[in-house]
Amino acid sequence: MANTIETIKNWSNRKKIAISLSLVLGIAAIVLLFSWSQLPNYSVLFSNLSEGDAGKIVEKLQQLKVPYQVTSNSIMVPMEKVYDLRLQLAAQGLPQGGGIGFEVFDKTDFQATDFVQKLNYKRALEGELARTIMALAEVDRARVHLAMPEKSLFVKDKQQPTASILIALKSAKSLTQDQIQGIVHLVSSSIEGLNPNDVTIVDSSGNMLTRKVDEMMGLTSTELDYQRKYEKDVEQGIRDILEPVVGKNKVKVKVHTELDFSRSEKTEETYDPDGAVVRSQQTTTEDSTSASPAGVVGVQSNLPAKTATQSSGGQRESKKKSETINNEISKTVNHVIAPYGTLKKLTAAVLVDGVYAMKPDSKDPNDVVYTPHKEEELKQYESLVKKAIGFTETRGDDVTVINMPFEPLPKEEALPEVKKSIGEYIKDGVVVTKYLAPVLLALMFIAFVVRPVVKSLVIETRPAVKEVAFARGGMAADTGHEAAKKAQQSKEAGGVKMPPTDEATIRREMSGWSDWVKENPAQAATMIKEWMAKEEPS
């Protein structure tokens, strides 16, 4: 220890300053890195906020005394407090999103004019609709503009309200036609007198999402979606029936259909003359018969006590029959409504791969031989496809099955690499650096600062120790001549090799000194005791 202190004192001032600065800077860097590693990890609390929402959230975080960081498009807080803060802010209606809503009427202002009240109602309605639209998972931001004209007393001056919606979608997201129509009907149902055709939706790139399709020009988007879905169902049915036979991923199918989307109603009345039915029948029958005595007509025949002259009598008979029959001819009335989306024609193209087999005399798995399917097999596949799709020859359907080799796929396909964004890589690197940097800096400090200093101390103190040993060795050679003689006698008696006594020889053979001590520990101990005994009087 004393030698080390003496060596440090003998250093130059420049060396002392350099080593002192290195030690101070190294220790300060380690302390700073350890302090930095103890800082909390920040995570995104909210992003893409409006200026009003961002200001209110920052103000609330200041009231809660929560540390935060504000970036260009987000607010960050310590990672362990993210979910708790979101719940607390949501309970207070933050972030509002989509502008102000009906909370504008929470505070009553009796000085507000009728124009201001109408304007606030319009703003609140736009804000509430924007919030509702933003509830969709694909929508990031939404803005609603309403044009609501004043009501007029005259019908000819009445104007219909209109609505315009701007939607910003999330990354790699899109809206289906059903979702777009849902937004249209949602807005139109919220505004009195608003027609769905007067609602316009535009995305952040300026693309029109709502299109008014002329029925005379072609199919509507709904009809196109129905046609594509029908074709995909047919394609999947063909794959399902062929893949178990030829193998998975060895069938390619493309189906084209012609569908009739016209709507028609037909009413038919059919009369059957042979199917007469009695509607009504009326029958009348009359039969009358009478017989009486006959005489002279007059007073004489009616006088009493006078026998009238009798004459021969007569008889009367009457018959009458009438029948009326009304017949009804049978009639059939049919009211037919044609089905929507009737299949007019179907065309299917099927591509089938062949059979691959490894060569018998080859051990390379990629050395294979391609064998096409036989013509009989292709006819069987075609028959299966026709039965699966409901093939109708009179309708003009067409099915084609062709056998062609596919491009061979690798035996083992690597899993797709999940690509991270640059921000995620930076974030992961910062987290790892916070824990590894202090350790690496400490190791570097030991390797490049502490180790060279210790090494220099050892190198500078070693020559002094050697010189003391050499001086002691010389003194022993001069004053301990008798001990040397005794050692020489011991050497001659036991055949032990003695070390040299002169200083030059000791310097030359210093490397072998340790070997001699290991070989002759007793003689070495005796010599050291004699040196110490000689040095004590002085």
Side-chain angles (χ1 to χ4, degrees):
M1 184 65 182
N3 295 329
T4 303
I5 296 174
E6 187 67 25
T7 303
I8 294 175
K9 289 180 180 180
N10 294 332
W11 283 351
S12 63
N13 293 332
R14 185 176 179 180
K15 188 173 183 179
K16 290 179 181 179
I17 293 173
I19 292 179
S20 300
L21 287 176
S22 300
L23 291 173
V24 172
L25 292 177
I27 295 172
I30 292 175
V31 172
L32 289 176
L33 277 176
F34 272 106
S35 301
W36 175 63
S37 64
Q38 298 301 320
L39 293 176
N41 294 325
Y42 282 83
S43 181
V44 177
L45 179 63
F46 294 108
S47 61
N48 298 324
L49 295 172
S50 62
E51 294 181 357
D53 287 342
K56 292 179 181 179
I57 290 175
V58 169
E59 182 181 359
K60 191 63 181 177
L61 293 176
Q62 291 176 352
Q63 294 177 1
L64 297 175
K65 297 181 180 180
V66 176
Y68 63 90
Q69 294 178 354
V70 180
T71 61
S72 59
N73 62 344
S74 61
I75 299 176
M76 304 180 70
V77 295
M79 186 180 297
E80 63 274 6
K81 296 183 179 181
V82 170
Y83 300 104
D84 293 338
L85 288 174
R86 285 180 182 175
L87 293 176
Q88 294 180 19
L89 295 174
Q92 300 179 11
L94 293 175
Q96 295 176 351
I100 194 170
F102 282 114
E103 63 271 7
V104 70
F105 297 107
D106 291 343
K107 296 181 181 179
T108 304
D109 187 3
F110 295 100
Q111 297 180 354
T113 61
D114 183 60
F115 173 77
V116 174
Q117 291 289 350
K118 291 181 179 179
L119 183 61
N120 288 337
Y121 174 74
K122 179 183 174 183
R123 291 175 58 200
L125 196 57
E126 291 175 347
E128 292 294 338
L129 288 174
R131 293 178 186 177
T132 305
I133 295 172
M134 289 173 61
L136 296 176
E138 293 80 5
V139 179
D140 187 17
R141 296 185 306 276
R143 192 76 181 270
V144 179
H145 301 279
L146 299 177
M148 304 172 65
E150 295 288 339
K151 294 182 179 180
S152 176
L153 297 176
F154 302 99
V155 177
K156 64 178 182 178
D157 297 335
K158 184 178 180 181
Q159 297 180 359
Q160 297 295 332
T162 58
S164 302
I165 305 171
L166 177 65
I167 292 178
L169 300 176
K170 294 181 180 178
S171 178
K173 297 290 185 179
S174 61
L175 292 176
T176 62
Q177 192 63 32
D178 292 338
Q179 290 175 318
I180 295 172
Q181 294 300 321
I183 295 174
V184 169
H185 288 282
L186 172 69
V187 176
S188 62
S189 301
S190 302
I191 309 300
E192 182 182 359
L194 179 59
N195 193 311
N197 294 328
D198 295 330
V199 179
T200 303
I201 301 179
V202 181
D203 63 5
S204 56
S205 300
N207 300 320
M208 181 78 72
L209 301 182
T210 53
R211 296 184 177 89
K212 298 178 181 178
V213 182
D214 189 359
E215 298 290 341
M216 301 299 295
M217 297 299 295
L219 300 178
T220 63
S221 57
T222 304
E223 293 170 349
L224 287 174
D225 291 341
Y226 176 80
Q227 182 176 0
R228 293 193 187 99
K229 185 178 182 302
Y230 184 85
E231 291 173 353
K232 288 186 179 297
D233 291 342
V234 176
E235 291 173 359
Q236 186 61 39
I238 296 175
R239 279 192 291 269
D240 291 342
I241 198 171
L242 289 183
E243 282 187 347
V245 181
V246 300
K248 190 171 181 61
N249 297 327
K250 289 191 175 184
V251 179
K252 302 295 182 182
V253 185
K254 187 63 179 176
V255 174
H256 176 71
T257 58
E258 294 182 11
L259 300 178
D260 184 10
F261 292 100
S262 60
R263 302 175 184 272
S264 61
E265 296 183 6
K266 182 173 63 175
T267 302
E268 295 180 350
E269 292 187 7
T270 304
Y271 295 92
D272 185 8
D274 297 331
V277 179
V278 177
R279 180 177 182 180
S280 61
Q281 181 177 357
Q282 182 178 1
T283 302
T284 304
T285 303
E286 184 178 349
D287 188 3
S288 174
T289 302
S290 60
S292 60
V296 179
V297 180
V299 178
Q300 295 296 326
S301 60
N302 292 323
L303 291 176
K306 183 71 173 175
T307 302
T309 304
Q310 298 293 329
S311 63
S312 60
Q315 293 182 352
R316 186 178 60 180
E317 182 177 356
S318 175
K319 292 183 178 180
K320 182 180 180 181
K321 185 176 181 181
S322 175
E323 183 176 2
T324 302
I325 300 175
N326 295 324
N327 294 325
E328 186 72 29
I329 300 175
S330 63
K331 179 180 68 173
T332 303
V333 179
N334 293 326
H335 183 70
V336 180
I337 299 177
Y340 181 76
T342 305
L343 180 62
K344 296 175 61 177
K345 185 178 179 180
L346 187 146
T347 304
V350 183
L351 188 62
V352 180
D353 195 7
V355 179
Y356 297 90
M358 191 172 66
K359 292 183 178 179
D361 55 348
S362 176
K363 297 182 179 180
D364 186 5
N366 295 324
D367 190 6
V368 295
V369 178
Y370 173 78
T371 303
H373 290 282
K374 298 179 181 180
E375 191 67 26
E376 294 79 6
E377 294 177 345
L378 294 179
K379 290 182 179 179
Q380 292 178 356
Y381 298 157
E382 183 177 349
S383 177
L384 287 175
V385 171
K386 288 181 177 180
K387 293 184 180 300
I389 65 176
F391 178 84
T392 303
E393 187 175 0
T394 57
R395 194 171 53 194
D397 295 351
D398 185 19
V399 175
T400 303
V401 180
I402 298 176
N403 182 201
M404 294 183 68
F406 290 2
E407 182 180 357
L409 297 175
K411 296 297 181 180
E412 295 183 359
E413 295 183 357
L415 294 176
E417 182 180 359
V418 180
K419 296 183 178 180
K420 294 183 179 180
S421 61
I422 297 177
E424 291 178 348
Y425 279 113
I426 294 175
K427 183 178 178 181
D428 296 341
V430 170
V431 173
V432 174
T433 304
K434 289 183 67 174
Y435 295 102
L436 292 182
V439 178
L440 293 176
L441 186 59
L443 294 176
M444 293 173 63
F445 178 73
I446 294 172
F448 296 104
V449 178
V450 177
R451 186 173 177 270
V453 172
V454 173
K455 188 176 181 181
S456 64
L457 290 175
V458 172
I459 292 174
E460 293 185 4
T461 55
R462 187 175 297 168
V465 174
K466 288 182 179 179
E467 298 211 356
V468 172
F470 292 150
R472 290 181 178 178
M475 185 181 297
D478 294 337
T479 60
H481 185 64
E482 295 180 358
K485 287 182 178 181
K486 292 180 179 180
Q488 187 68 25
Q489 294 175 359
S490 176
K491 173 186 175 184
E492 294 175 356
V496 180
K497 182 180 179 182
M498 291 298 294
T501 57
D502 59 296
E503 183 177 349
T505 306
I506 293 174
R507 288 181 181 274
R508 288 194 304 269
E509 299 181 4
M510 192 67 184
S511 59
W513 184 272
S514 59
D515 296 335
W516 180 85
V517 172
K518 292 179 181 179
E519 294 176 0
N520 306 280
Q523 288 83 351
T526 303
M527 184 176 291
I528 292 173
K529 288 180 181 179
E530 290 178 356
W531 288 351
M532 294 176 65
K534 294 291 183 179
E535 291 178 358
E536 284 179 357
S538 61

